Amino acid sequence: MNKEMPIQMLISFDKLLQQYDIMAKSDDPFLSSRARYVLETQAPYPELREGFSDVRLLEKHKDIIRVILQDSFAEVLSENEIKAASMPYFDIVFNKSKRFQKILDNAGTDFKPFIRDQEEGIDYIMASTVILKFYYGFNLDYSRPYFYDIPDAKGIIHHYRILYNADFMDILPTALAKDLSQADVDKLLENPEDLGLWKEMIPPNSFISKGFVISNMFDVTAEHTISEIKTNLISSDKRGSETFISDLQETFRSFFKIKELKIGFVTYNTKDNQLERVYGNGIESFLLKEKNNEACNHVLCVGSYDKIVKEKGYFAISDVDKYYKITEGAEPYRSLYEQGIKSAIFAPIVNEGELLGVLELVSTVKNQLNGVNATKLDDVMPYIVAAVVRSKIEEENLIDAIIQNECTSVHSSVHWRFEEEAKQFIIDGLEGRQPSFKEIVFKDVYPLYGQIDIKASSQARNTAIQRDLMIQLSNIGEILNAALKNEKLPIYEELIYRIDKYVDDIKETLFSNSEQTVFDFVNADVLPIFDHLKKQNKELSDLIDAYEKTINAETHSYYDHRKQYDDSVMRINKKLASVIDKHQEAAQQMFPHYYERYKTDGIEHNIYIGSSIAEDKDFDPLYLKNLRLWQLQVMCEMENKYYNLKPELDVQLDVASLILVYSTPLSIRFRMDEKRFDVDGTYNARYEIIKKRIDKSYIKGTNERLTQKGKLSIVYSQKKDELEYLRYISFLKSKGYFTNNIEIVDLEGLQGVSGLKAIRAEILYKKNAEDEQTFTYEDLMEELKT
């Protein structure tokens, strides 16, 4: 009774007795006589009409109350109906039906029924919604299901849904009640969990609930336990939960009404035809006992194997001891017998005809589990199947997540190796060992490297930055000049001087810190002045508003030419990446290989091919040659796609292509700290050095860069590689990929690398995929201009 609520409780039977006042005047002699009897019985006790809050009066007047409520609580139904009068927000129950009283007696002398999940805040707000509807007239949907959870004599929890009849209840305001507008109600609806606000709008004790409520209850244990099973099974991290199995077990006990029931699970490995333990907190198997896995023909007899694995039906053993003797200790009876199990049901978990695992239900009491009550599982097996399917997906996702977390995104060709390591990672963690993701190495693989680089990208980016900064500073200067005309303040002159100096400096040379310097100047010195000017002058305020509309919300600066550059680079990268990614799908079908690409100012790609990467395929050098030819073709197609895209770009840029040929097999190791593959060992490091430096290399004895627009450069060091690629180029010339302009050049030595040579092959372009006519780079540029 000390609970703070918006309503004060006043138990009253006046509203019901008013019905008897009317019935007493009825022409029906039986009704009128019955009504007068009730009214005369109540008359000496006016508090039953006026109302009372002292719950002790319920016991004092229980016989009178029973007479008043006799028509609402028919005696002939009292053994069947679960019913009581109540004040629900105060957990007060009285005038209970005989069946309800018996249920409470079985629960124990100290048990008192409480409505589930009635926290103070929720209780207060729910009572307030009733007031909003029935007193203030705001039509709110406040209904929600209410339940009693009551144990039976065996301790098994039963669940009862409560339906309320509030016909005999009035909501009356006290002096504390406030007038509420629609705006007030809107505010409450926007803050459904702000208990302080609700108490402010509808203060404690601001209303009186006068009357009583009739509670009708229905045993919904079966429906509720099915819902609970579903809820438990769809919850995330079931394996890691310390209470999942115990909670699920209690729910199954309520469902079967068997206190001694226990549950277990095993998964079924189709490939090896064996049952395997499910790793997780508290998850056990009564078929496997302490084993991690066991062949089905060792765990099951012929009959149980046929029923569970072949027919995929329930296999029930009502008397384990009996069949243990009949089969002379055959499985699965021996294992169950040794564990003290007397009856059991094994239910196959089947999805689309595939056996995923087995649900094990066991009891230490004979006949408690049998073929008859096994059919109850029909109602819950769909949820168990869905949960197992989901768990398999979650495990796959977890494996992927571990790989992603430990290794970053992994290409499909090597995923199998990471998956093996991730599975061991999970098992180590579940079995209490310190999980550690071991480094992964692929030995004797051949590398292929290629890049399409945007030429002079740094210069183009700097030009875009210069233009944006100069435009932004010029716009600021115009505003400050207008401010100076309006008000002759030296500070404006000083700012204009600094802006002119910044413009002159940027026009001459853009330094690495120029952008940040201007950004800091604008934020520290200009914007505060603009805030001041906007308050002083309408004309200046309009100028500043126009300036602010030119400022990008993300960069907080003028972002026009840079946006054009960034958008152009983004479109280039997107187009080039889509070409090579699409062709990769076909290349993987030829022979599995590791592939990764990077978007920078252009596209780079690494490819590694070898027997250690192909999980179950034999590698032959033929596949390396095939991939090299494929790479040449794809690089030419990427060039074609780009130069057909070029006219659509805001910033006209050029690209140049390069391939590195390296014929010595090497090892690659996944670097856990860098989350990427890298060559393994100092000997193989030479490949990485070449790869990082060749795009800056020059033709020997000249100032000419190796990479040129319109040409594909192929860098190598061995004569056999030169001959191989000249063959490929000759073949591709016949298919219209290259012109006859082929040159072989020596390269200047790079730091730590010497003796490199290159083939430069002029690429032929087509205006579109259907066009038969081909162009050199120069011809294509002229053609695109027309």
Side-chain angles (χ1 to χ4, degrees), residues 167 206 280 618 632 726:
D167 289 346
S206 55
D618 294 328
L632 276 174
L726 286 174

Coordinates of all heavy atoms in Angstrom, one line a residue, residues 167 206 280 618 632 726:
D167 N -15.9 -2.9 -15.4 CA -17.2 -2.3 -15.5 C -17.6 -1.6 -14.2 O -18.4 -0.7 -14.2 CB -18.3 -3.3 -15.9 CG -18.2 -3.8 -17.3 OD1 -17.4 -3.1 -18.1 OD2 -18.8 -4.8 -17.7
S206 N -3.3 11.9 -7.6 CA -4.1 12.9 -8.1 C -5.5 12.4 -8.6 O -6.3 13.1 -9.0 CB -3.4 13.6 -9.3 OG -3.0 12.6 -10.3
G280 N 29.2 -25.3 -25.8 CA 28.5 -24.2 -25.2 C 28.3 -24.5 -23.7 O 28.4 -25.6 -23.2
D618 N 45.2 -29.8 -58.3 CA 46.6 -29.9 -58.6 C 47.0 -28.8 -59.5 O 46.3 -28.4 -60.5 CB 46.9 -31.2 -59.4 CG 46.7 -32.5 -58.5 OD1 46.9 -32.3 -57.3 OD2 46.2 -33.5 -59.1
L632 N 47.0 -9.5 -69.0 CA 47.2 -8.6 -70.1 C 45.9 -8.2 -70.8 O 45.7 -7.0 -71.1 CB 48.1 -9.3 -71.2 CG 49.6 -9.3 -71.0 CD1 50.3 -10.1 -72.0 CD2 50.1 -7.9 -71.0
L726 N 56.3 -11.5 -75.2 CA 56.3 -11.1 -76.6 C 55.3 -12.0 -77.4 O 54.6 -11.6 -78.3 CB 57.7 -11.1 -77.2 CG 58.6 -9.9 -76.8 CD1 60.0 -10.2 -77.3 CD2 58.0 -8.6 -77.3

